[in-house]
Amino acid sequence: MTPCARLKTSIDIQGDKTMHPHAISRRAWIRAAAASGVAAPLGSGLLSSAWAQAAPYPARPVKAVVPYPAGGMSDVSSRAVLDRLSRELGQPIVIENKGGAASTLASNWFVSQPADGYTLYAAPVSVVINPILQKSVAYDARRDFVPISMMINSPFVLQVNPQLNVRNMRELLALLRANPGKFAIGTSGPGSINHLAAEYFMRAMNVQMQVAHYRGGAPAAQDLMGGVIQAMFSAANEAAPLIRAGRTRGIAVTTRQRLDILPDLPTVEEAAGVPDFEAVFWLALMAPAKTPEDVLSRLRKGMQVVGQDKELQEHLARQGVQLKTSTPADVLAAMNRDEALWGRIICEQGIKE
């Protein structure tokens, strides 16, 4: 059975919730709740006698894998969160960047790592998207990984070229509906989150645009400023300087609350009256399946303390990123929601990397 066929079967069984992406099936909720610590978590295993006699975790430095190159927003945000977690654990967390294949290289590698808590994964939303997009996936995110906590949300901003002469969502939608297929929206590449957000936007708003794919956000932003394309969804930290400089015009943000970095921009839900519209890139901290429960508990408690750090929240907010810690159930809910929402769009549109 193809990934799209499996996804359709899952949606048919659970009911179509893709237009209300925060919904979660009863079966998924029970599975998620089991991972929250009320019962034995997803992928947990029995402690061996050798482990039980070992020093309390962590007794040595921990490695965390980030599936993107050093210096990008995912890397910088992960380092900030994990540095704070290392202080809570009392041991260094050493970051290893393992970019490639839109995170699949790191995800495939992580499957074979020891389940001892000394190798962790800053897992992106693509762990549930790539199995639908790619043939090189050798993991099952629910079987092979155990969730610890969400780490960050990275929202998007819908921005347009100022020469489009629209000042808000109402004017933009009126222009697009009067000129179906005339204007172009750029993406960072087929299957990227901002591509899926663009397809979601067009479907939710009942508008038609040409979709122009680029090799990354930077060349797309250059063509947006130059008027080659008329709109794109950009990461908030990338969009904010362009909007402030007047080189682009912000229309709305893709979170359900306004952003500190661009407080005057409404949400898509506010601006267009579409309930529950949300499109974010997220990272969640995960461990290999069968990691001992006491190790998972220590990491989860540590992440809850990290989530209360106001200084870290403000630091990330200035970069357009939201600190977001959670229960394991919340991670599973996000995985289920985004697999259904983005997977349906991928399959309906025939999107391939």
Side-chain angles (χ1 to χ4, degrees):
M1 185 181 290
T2 67
C4 286
R6 284 195 296 271
L7 179 67
K8 184 178 186 301
T9 300
S10 175
I11 291 173
D12 288 344
I13 291 172
Q14 296 183 15
D16 182 7
K17 301 177 179 65
T18 57
M19 293 308 293
H20 298 281
H22 292 275
I24 180 171
S25 72
R26 180 177 181 273
R27 180 182 299 175
W29 175 253
I30 292 172
R31 184 170 63 244
S36 67
V38 175
L42 180 69
S44 64
L46 295 175
L47 293 176
S48 68
S49 59
W51 179 265
Q53 295 171 8
Y57 173 86
R60 54 185 169 85
V62 175
K63 178 167 68 177
V65 175
V66 175
Y68 300 103
M73 184 49 60
S74 297
D75 173 67
V76 172
S77 300
S78 294
R79 288 176 186 272
V81 173
L82 294 171
D83 177 69
R84 181 62 184 84
L85 178 62
S86 74
R87 286 185 275 144
E88 185 62 26
L89 295 178
Q91 287 286 353
I93 296 181
V94 181
I95 305 298
E96 179 176 327
N97 296 94
K98 195 175 285 291
S103 80
T104 294
L105 181 68
S107 298
N108 286 346
W109 174 85
F110 192 67
V111 171
S112 62
Q113 299 312 296
D116 57 7
Y118 288 97
T119 305
L120 306 176
Y121 188 23
V125 58
S126 54
V127 295
V128 293
I129 297 173
N130 288 351
I132 307 169
L133 278 172
Q134 301 176 353
K135 296 181 180 179
S136 58
V137 171
Y139 67 87
D140 181 311
R142 295 175 181 81
R143 179 194 66 204
D144 298 320
F145 309 152
V146 54
I148 295 166
S149 169
M150 297 295 287
M151 294 173 64
I152 59 110
N153 276 350
S154 179
F156 293 96
V157 176
L158 176 59
Q159 53 178 346
V160 300
N161 183 285
Q163 295 180 357
L164 202 58
N165 291 323
V166 297
R167 294 167 296 176
N168 53 47
M169 182 70 80
R170 180 179 57 80
E171 293 178 359
L172 175 62
L173 293 179
L175 180 66
L176 295 178
R177 287 167 180 160
N179 299 274
K182 179 179 178 179
F183 300 107
I185 187 165
T187 84
S188 302
S192 61
I193 295 295
N194 71 341
H195 173 207
L196 301 179
E199 298 286 358
Y200 181 27
F201 173 78
M202 288 188 286
R203 185 176 73 169
M205 306 302 165
N206 192 28
V207 297
Q208 298 176 27
M209 302 181 74
Q210 300 176 49
V211 179
H213 297 302
Y214 291 81
R215 292 182 179 273
Q222 287 294 325
D223 273 3
L224 176 64
M225 291 183 285
V228 178
I229 58 175
Q230 288 72 49
M232 72 177 291
F233 285 92
S234 301
N237 66 295
E238 297 171 354
L242 302 181
I243 294 169
R244 289 170 183 153
R247 304 184 72 180
T248 64
R249 179 170 293 147
I251 299 296
V253 299
T254 62
T255 45
R256 301 186 71 193
Q257 297 84 31
R258 295 192 181 202
L259 303 181
D260 292 343
I261 195 173
L262 292 165
D264 294 332
L265 283 189
T267 66
V268 172
E269 184 173 356
E270 282 182 85
V274 176
D276 296 332
F277 188 101
E278 185 174 42
V280 298
F281 172 88
W282 51 255
L283 292 172
L285 191 62
M286 298 193 183
K290 299 183 181 179
T291 297
E293 170 58 23
D294 62 335
V295 173
L296 296 174
S297 178
R298 179 74 182 92
L299 290 165
R300 288 166 180 157
K301 289 177 181 176
M303 284 298 294
Q304 293 308 307
V305 174
V306 170
Q308 301 303 312
D309 190 314
K310 299 297 184 183
E311 184 177 346
L312 180 59
Q313 290 175 14
E314 293 170 1
H315 170 73
L316 291 173
R318 288 193 294 269
Q319 301 177 54
V321 176
Q322 299 171 323
L323 177 64
K324 181 179 175 64
T325 58
S326 73
T327 66
D330 292 329
V331 178
L332 286 168
M335 292 167 66
N336 292 337
R337 177 194 69 216
D338 286 351
E339 181 182 56
L341 175 63
W342 303 133
R344 178 168 181 170
I345 290 171
I346 290 165
C347 294
E348 287 181 350
Q349 299 294 325
I351 298 169
K352 297 179 180 179
E353 284 196 337

